[in-house]
Amino acid sequence: MNVGVLGTGITKFGERWDQGLRELLLDAQLKALKDANVEANDLDALYTGNMGGGPLSGQLHIGAMATENLNIDKPSVRVEGACASGSLALRQGILAIEAGEAEIVLVSGVEKMTDVSTEQVTTMLMGAGDEEIDGFTGLTFPGLYALLAKFYMNKFPKLTRDLLAEVSVKNHFHGTKNDYAQFRKEITIDTVKNATMVADPLTLFDCSPITDGAASIILTSEAKAKELGAKVSIIGSGLGTDSLSLARRKSLTRIDAAYSAARRAYKQAGITVDQISFAEVHDCFTIAEIYAVEALGFAKEGEGYKLYENKDTYFDGKTPINTSGGLKACGHPVGATGVKQAIEATMQLSGKAKGRQVTDAEIGVTHNVGGSGGTAAVHVFKKVRD
Amino acid sequence: MNVGVLGTGITKFGERWDQGLRELLLDAQLKALKDANVEANDLDALYTGNMGGGPLSGQLHIGAMATENLNIDKPSVRVEGACASGSLALRQGILAIEAGEAEIVLVSGVEKMTDVSTEQVTTMLMGAGDEEIDGFTGLTFPGLYALLAKFYMNKFPKLTRDLLAEVSVKNHFHGTKNDYAQFRKEITIDTVKNATMVADPLTLFDCSPITDGAASIILTSEAKAKELGAKVSIIGSGLGTDSLSLARRKSLTRIDAAYSAARRAYKQAGITVDQISFAEVHDCFTIAEIYAVEALGFAKEGEGYKLYENKDTYFDGKTPINTSGGLKACGHPVGATGVKQAIEATMQLSGKAKGRQVTDAEIGVTHNVGGSGGTAAVHVFKKVRD
């Protein structure tokens, strides 16, 4: 697999009272087209990831919105896989190019979450789990991940409360370096531990926020990428699935779908984990980042804590994780998150991640999870050598 | 393009109080696997079309449900484009094969609509239009299509009330021949004209019903299809888009996206309209079938009425349209409809449409519309010669 990245565009993430679903999407689309120096009419296909448009805004059919925004009549499809929707859109964009059906594709992700109550958002998000098991019994996503954290930390007590909090501290630090991040202030381990309890052991600062935002990326074929001098290419795409409900998982100390996705993506890319310069991972809750670094192979199961003992996961550490600030600090507009991860990978590999630049970055991966692990997508990005 | 059809499965369409979203999907999936003689573990990818799972059932993330149903860990994605969701899933399945990422793909569509009030369903369906224009002003889909009917019949008065009613009469007749159709009784022009008015000029019998149902189809590569002796192949896939709202269309007497989709699909298939033996089209309302036969090229704009003067659109007529009973009589579980159309095309081309079989069927097309024409998908199916 070899698909080039021609350009990217992203909105400021946050509480965007100034823009609706359509305007956020348009803003990211136009920025990406400008960055790629591509006319809307040159696009052969569009894919847009969105999770909650129906329940939150009464707006489905966002594929047609994506083309209407640009006043074009092109194949355009909305893709949804809960919080992995953005990466699924990315994957479908890649496949359209690989199929020879499209040469230039605009992939976007968008979510408008702050126009409704937190209760409505929490209910919508439970659509990522099993409505008839998890939802019916009153579980919410903080509750599900709290159960995972309890289970994991009971089995692997070396992941202490302080080390778990380090995930959030590090991601908030990275957020201070990122212009489009929702939260841009440093915090301490005590900030995390002393914050309002959401679902034991997870406090407010263990949880990613509710966020509006959109992100777009323009992909092209290997040949066209060479012609236009693209600096970054995507060389692997892996997708794994598992049960919607935690109740039906084989193991609760790992997210199997993410192991599958990583294995498939690395195989396709022909890489091993030691070649990876950095990763953008799905830290919807601090505990999720621990599962992520293990699934990606940076640590064995139960040993993810080791990466957080010595600041290894900071942008200038051995294994930089979530240099964008992650879902925690950058914000988590769910449909946009997977595309934002791809943008961060692109920025790092093209040397544009000012203030948080990973030195000599050659290969980066993104890791995006839907629900509590019903879907996981991993993509491998590579710097194109001049 | 050449993708083979290995098997199909479909549930009875109707008010399915006995099955939920998951069970309907599972039923269609298992039937298709059995029909294709394929093991779940042999699948390389799954695509599932669904529109209203979020707003109606609180269940998003249906890609993971599709694999969980079969106890497999495979790439699996939910696709949504309002009432065209099923055809979009079909298209993504085709692209995955064309991309060389999958050899055997299970494409499904599912919708569970009868567990909630008609008002909730009508509100959800408005997510297919522009929520900020159409939805905000109180329009519903019967209202939108009534506006189209008024506009069209004012400009083209040769489409009389009686000829418009003929669409429904013919589709109900076909429904009597189809085991899985929701409505299986013949009606007359008077039945349509004397029914409860829904939105002038459309009465209850001009409108497709609210339906539960699921449909699955298994696709494979050209090489594998040859090896396994597949009887039907898909040789063209066209997708067009336009504005979500009618207010922003160039013309109201045609659905431009469907013209684009047909032109693209025919071009890819290398066919002209005179080679087409039959078509399954999107008759969400009777007027929509008139727009459909014109977009597909069976009649010029404004002359679609001619096909309804002499029973040409019956299964044994010159231009058979909606031999399944269409959305009107077969029922319209929105995410499943596009896949059901593909199944009807497959049945016709493999000589299995008992009681409604089109003689010497060689090429069939499906035409699936999202919203009032924001998305349209056309697929071309061909009988494989022995």
PDB file of all heavy atoms in Angstrom, chain A residues 330-352:
ATOM      1  N   CYS A 330      -6.123  17.674  23.282  1.00  0.00           N
ATOM      2  CA  CYS A 330      -6.461  18.255  21.984  1.00  0.00           C
ATOM      3  C   CYS A 330      -7.979  18.327  21.838  1.00  0.00           C
ATOM      4  O   CYS A 330      -8.516  19.191  21.152  1.00  0.00           O
ATOM      5  CB  CYS A 330      -5.863  17.407  20.862  1.00  0.00           C
ATOM      6  SG  CYS A 330      -5.888  18.225  19.272  1.00  0.00           S
ATOM      7  N   GLY A 331      -8.679  17.428  22.526  1.00  0.00           N
ATOM      8  CA  GLY A 331     -10.134  17.351  22.421  1.00  0.00           C
ATOM      9  C   GLY A 331     -10.528  16.162  21.574  1.00  0.00           C
ATOM     10  O   GLY A 331      -9.723  15.634  20.804  1.00  0.00           O
ATOM     11  N   HIS A 332     -11.796  15.737  21.723  1.00  0.00           N
ATOM     12  CA  HIS A 332     -12.237  14.517  21.044  1.00  0.00           C
ATOM     13  C   HIS A 332     -13.596  14.714  20.350  1.00  0.00           C
ATOM     14  O   HIS A 332     -14.614  14.221  20.814  1.00  0.00           O
ATOM     15  CB  HIS A 332     -12.305  13.369  22.073  1.00  0.00           C
ATOM     16  CG  HIS A 332     -12.709  12.044  21.531  1.00  0.00           C
ATOM     17  ND1 HIS A 332     -12.458  11.652  20.224  1.00  0.00           N
ATOM     18  CD2 HIS A 332     -13.366  10.997  22.105  1.00  0.00           C
ATOM     19  CE1 HIS A 332     -12.941  10.427  20.038  1.00  0.00           C
ATOM     20  NE2 HIS A 332     -13.506  10.018  21.151  1.00  0.00           N
ATOM     21  N   PRO A 333     -13.569  15.458  19.242  1.00  0.00           N
ATOM     22  CA  PRO A 333     -14.768  15.519  18.402  1.00  0.00           C
ATOM     23  C   PRO A 333     -14.801  14.191  17.650  1.00  0.00           C
ATOM     24  O   PRO A 333     -14.047  14.003  16.701  1.00  0.00           O
ATOM     25  CB  PRO A 333     -14.493  16.698  17.472  1.00  0.00           C
ATOM     26  CG  PRO A 333     -13.010  16.912  17.487  1.00  0.00           C
ATOM     27  CD  PRO A 333     -12.440  16.195  18.666  1.00  0.00           C
ATOM     28  N   VAL A 334     -15.602  13.251  18.094  1.00  0.00           N
ATOM     29  CA  VAL A 334     -15.337  11.838  17.807  1.00  0.00           C
ATOM     30  C   VAL A 334     -15.088  11.508  16.343  1.00  0.00           C
ATOM     31  O   VAL A 334     -14.118  10.839  16.013  1.00  0.00           O
ATOM     32  CB  VAL A 334     -16.367  10.886  18.445  1.00  0.00           C
ATOM     33  CG1 VAL A 334     -16.221  10.851  19.950  1.00  0.00           C
ATOM     34  CG2 VAL A 334     -17.780  11.225  18.067  1.00  0.00           C
ATOM     35  N   GLY A 335     -15.958  11.976  15.446  1.00  0.00           N
ATOM     36  CA  GLY A 335     -15.757  11.647  14.030  1.00  0.00           C
ATOM     37  C   GLY A 335     -14.480  12.242  13.469  1.00  0.00           C
ATOM     38  O   GLY A 335     -13.912  11.735  12.498  1.00  0.00           O
ATOM     39  N   ALA A 336     -14.006  13.325  14.070  1.00  0.00           N
ATOM     40  CA  ALA A 336     -12.822  14.018  13.550  1.00  0.00           C
ATOM     41  C   ALA A 336     -11.517  13.442  14.087  1.00  0.00           C
ATOM     42  O   ALA A 336     -10.453  13.643  13.484  1.00  0.00           O
ATOM     43  CB  ALA A 336     -12.903  15.506  13.891  1.00  0.00           C
ATOM     44  N   THR A 337     -11.582  12.750  15.208  1.00  0.00           N
ATOM     45  CA  THR A 337     -10.353  12.344  15.896  1.00  0.00           C
ATOM     46  C   THR A 337      -9.405  11.510  15.027  1.00  0.00           C
ATOM     47  O   THR A 337      -8.201  11.765  14.991  1.00  0.00           O
ATOM     48  CB  THR A 337     -10.698  11.617  17.211  1.00  0.00           C
ATOM     49  OG1 THR A 337     -11.145  12.607  18.163  1.00  0.00           O
ATOM     50  CG2 THR A 337      -9.508  10.869  17.788  1.00  0.00           C
ATOM     51  N   GLY A 338      -9.915  10.527  14.324  1.00  0.00           N
ATOM     52  CA  GLY A 338      -9.055   9.681  13.489  1.00  0.00           C
ATOM     53  C   GLY A 338      -8.347  10.482  12.412  1.00  0.00           C
ATOM     54  O   GLY A 338      -7.174  10.219  12.095  1.00  0.00           O
ATOM     55  N   VAL A 339      -9.027  11.460  11.864  1.00  0.00           N
ATOM     56  CA  VAL A 339      -8.420  12.293  10.821  1.00  0.00           C
ATOM     57  C   VAL A 339      -7.407  13.250  11.448  1.00  0.00           C
ATOM     58  O   VAL A 339      -6.340  13.498  10.892  1.00  0.00           O
ATOM     59  CB  VAL A 339      -9.496  13.058  10.016  1.00  0.00           C
ATOM     60  CG1 VAL A 339      -8.849  13.895   8.927  1.00  0.00           C
ATOM     61  CG2 VAL A 339     -10.509  12.084   9.417  1.00  0.00           C
ATOM     62  N   LYS A 340      -7.732  13.754  12.629  1.00  0.00           N
ATOM     63  CA  LYS A 340      -6.772  14.613  13.346  1.00  0.00           C
ATOM     64  C   LYS A 340      -5.484  13.855  13.626  1.00  0.00           C
ATOM     65  O   LYS A 340      -4.382  14.398  13.499  1.00  0.00           O
ATOM     66  CB  LYS A 340      -7.360  15.090  14.673  1.00  0.00           C
ATOM     67  CG  LYS A 340      -6.379  15.951  15.468  1.00  0.00           C
ATOM     68  CD  LYS A 340      -6.437  15.697  16.957  1.00  0.00           C
ATOM     69  CE  LYS A 340      -5.796  14.372  17.340  1.00  0.00           C
ATOM     70  NZ  LYS A 340      -5.721  14.154  18.784  1.00  0.00           N
ATOM     71  N   GLN A 341      -5.607  12.580  14.015  1.00  0.00           N
ATOM     72  CA  GLN A 341      -4.409  11.765  14.259  1.00  0.00           C
ATOM     73  C   GLN A 341      -3.561  11.675  12.997  1.00  0.00           C
ATOM     74  O   GLN A 341      -2.330  11.780  13.041  1.00  0.00           O
ATOM     75  CB  GLN A 341      -4.819  10.367  14.716  1.00  0.00           C
ATOM     76  CG  GLN A 341      -5.523  10.335  16.075  1.00  0.00           C
ATOM     77  CD  GLN A 341      -5.966   8.923  16.464  1.00  0.00           C
ATOM     78  OE1 GLN A 341      -6.326   8.111  15.610  1.00  0.00           O
ATOM     79  NE2 GLN A 341      -5.946   8.630  17.754  1.00  0.00           N
ATOM     80  N   ALA A 342      -4.241  11.490  11.858  1.00  0.00           N
ATOM     81  CA  ALA A 342      -3.524  11.403  10.572  1.00  0.00           C
ATOM     82  C   ALA A 342      -2.839  12.720  10.257  1.00  0.00           C
ATOM     83  O   ALA A 342      -1.734  12.741   9.696  1.00  0.00           O
ATOM     84  CB  ALA A 342      -4.502  11.028   9.460  1.00  0.00           C
ATOM     85  N   ILE A 343      -3.478  13.813  10.629  1.00  0.00           N
ATOM     86  CA  ILE A 343      -2.880  15.135  10.387  1.00  0.00           C
ATOM     87  C   ILE A 343      -1.642  15.325  11.266  1.00  0.00           C
ATOM     88  O   ILE A 343      -0.606  15.823  10.804  1.00  0.00           O
ATOM     89  CB  ILE A 343      -3.923  16.250  10.627  1.00  0.00           C
ATOM     90  CG1 ILE A 343      -4.994  16.185   9.533  1.00  0.00           C
ATOM     91  CG2 ILE A 343      -3.254  17.626  10.667  1.00  0.00           C
ATOM     92  CD1 ILE A 343      -6.137  17.168   9.717  1.00  0.00           C
ATOM     93  N   GLU A 344      -1.742  14.922  12.523  1.00  0.00           N
ATOM     94  CA  GLU A 344      -0.572  15.037  13.415  1.00  0.00           C
ATOM     95  C   GLU A 344       0.599  14.197  12.873  1.00  0.00           C
ATOM     96  O   GLU A 344       1.744  14.651  12.868  1.00  0.00           O
ATOM     97  CB  GLU A 344      -0.930  14.604  14.841  1.00  0.00           C
ATOM     98  CG  GLU A 344       0.220  14.690  15.844  1.00  0.00           C
ATOM     99  CD  GLU A 344       0.677  16.128  16.149  1.00  0.00           C
ATOM    100  OE1 GLU A 344      -0.037  17.083  15.767  1.00  0.00           O
ATOM    101  OE2 GLU A 344       1.763  16.279  16.743  1.00  0.00           O
ATOM    102  N   ALA A 345       0.267  12.998  12.386  1.00  0.00           N
ATOM    103  CA  ALA A 345       1.319  12.151  11.808  1.00  0.00           C
ATOM    104  C   ALA A 345       1.954  12.844  10.607  1.00  0.00           C
ATOM    105  O   ALA A 345       3.185  12.847  10.444  1.00  0.00           O
ATOM    106  CB  ALA A 345       0.738  10.795  11.403  1.00  0.00           C
ATOM    107  N   THR A 346       1.123  13.457   9.788  1.00  0.00           N
ATOM    108  CA  THR A 346       1.623  14.159   8.602  1.00  0.00           C
ATOM    109  C   THR A 346       2.495  15.342   9.001  1.00  0.00           C
ATOM    110  O   THR A 346       3.564  15.574   8.421  1.00  0.00           O
ATOM    111  CB  THR A 346       0.438  14.630   7.744  1.00  0.00           C
ATOM    112  OG1 THR A 346      -0.340  13.489   7.379  1.00  0.00           O
ATOM    113  CG2 THR A 346       0.911  15.344   6.486  1.00  0.00           C
ATOM    114  N   MET A 347       2.037  16.106   9.997  1.00  0.00           N
ATOM    115  CA  MET A 347       2.817  17.268  10.443  1.00  0.00           C
ATOM    116  C   MET A 347       4.177  16.830  10.985  1.00  0.00           C
ATOM    117  O   MET A 347       5.208  17.435  10.672  1.00  0.00           O
ATOM    118  CB  MET A 347       2.040  18.048  11.516  1.00  0.00           C
ATOM    119  CG  MET A 347       0.831  18.767  10.953  1.00  0.00           C
ATOM    120  SD  MET A 347      -0.151  19.622  12.241  1.00  0.00           S
ATOM    121  CE  MET A 347       0.860  21.092  12.497  1.00  0.00           C
ATOM    122  N   GLN A 348       4.174  15.781  11.784  1.00  0.00           N
ATOM    123  CA  GLN A 348       5.439  15.293  12.342  1.00  0.00           C
ATOM    124  C   GLN A 348       6.389  14.839  11.238  1.00  0.00           C
ATOM    125  O   GLN A 348       7.591  15.159  11.263  1.00  0.00           O
ATOM    126  CB  GLN A 348       5.182  14.116  13.316  1.00  0.00           C
ATOM    127  CG  GLN A 348       4.553  14.522  14.641  1.00  0.00           C
ATOM    128  CD  GLN A 348       5.507  15.280  15.561  1.00  0.00           C
ATOM    129  OE1 GLN A 348       6.692  15.439  15.269  1.00  0.00           O
ATOM    130  NE2 GLN A 348       4.979  15.775  16.670  1.00  0.00           N
ATOM    131  N   LEU A 349       5.849  14.106  10.258  1.00  0.00           N
ATOM    132  CA  LEU A 349       6.713  13.518   9.219  1.00  0.00           C
ATOM    133  C   LEU A 349       7.152  14.543   8.184  1.00  0.00           C
ATOM    134  O   LEU A 349       8.082  14.304   7.423  1.00  0.00           O
ATOM    135  CB  LEU A 349       6.014  12.333   8.558  1.00  0.00           C
ATOM    136  CG  LEU A 349       5.789  11.133   9.495  1.00  0.00           C
ATOM    137  CD1 LEU A 349       4.863  10.112   8.850  1.00  0.00           C
ATOM    138  CD2 LEU A 349       7.120  10.494   9.880  1.00  0.00           C
ATOM    139  N   SER A 350       6.475  15.684   8.165  1.00  0.00           N
ATOM    140  CA  SER A 350       6.917  16.722   7.224  1.00  0.00           C
ATOM    141  C   SER A 350       7.599  17.873   7.971  1.00  0.00           C
ATOM    142  O   SER A 350       7.808  18.950   7.418  1.00  0.00           O
ATOM    143  CB  SER A 350       5.730  17.206   6.375  1.00  0.00           C
ATOM    144  OG  SER A 350       4.628  17.540   7.185  1.00  0.00           O
ATOM    145  N   GLY A 351       7.911  17.629   9.228  1.00  0.00           N
ATOM    146  CA  GLY A 351       8.706  18.602   9.997  1.00  0.00           C
ATOM    147  C   GLY A 351       7.958  19.872  10.369  1.00  0.00           C
ATOM    148  O   GLY A 351       8.568  20.925  10.599  1.00  0.00           O
ATOM    149  N   LYS A 352       6.608  19.784  10.435  1.00  0.00           N
ATOM    150  CA  LYS A 352       5.829  20.999  10.706  1.00  0.00           C
ATOM    151  C   LYS A 352       5.221  21.041  12.103  1.00  0.00           C
ATOM    152  O   LYS A 352       4.351  21.865  12.377  1.00  0.00           O
ATOM    153  CB  LYS A 352       4.714  21.123   9.667  1.00  0.00           C
ATOM    154  CG  LYS A 352       5.232  21.405   8.267  1.00  0.00           C
ATOM    155  CD  LYS A 352       4.070  21.544   7.284  1.00  0.00           C
ATOM    156  CE  LYS A 352       4.577  21.841   5.873  1.00  0.00           C
ATOM    157  NZ  LYS A 352       3.491  21.738   4.881  1.00  0.00           N
TER     158      LYS A 352
END
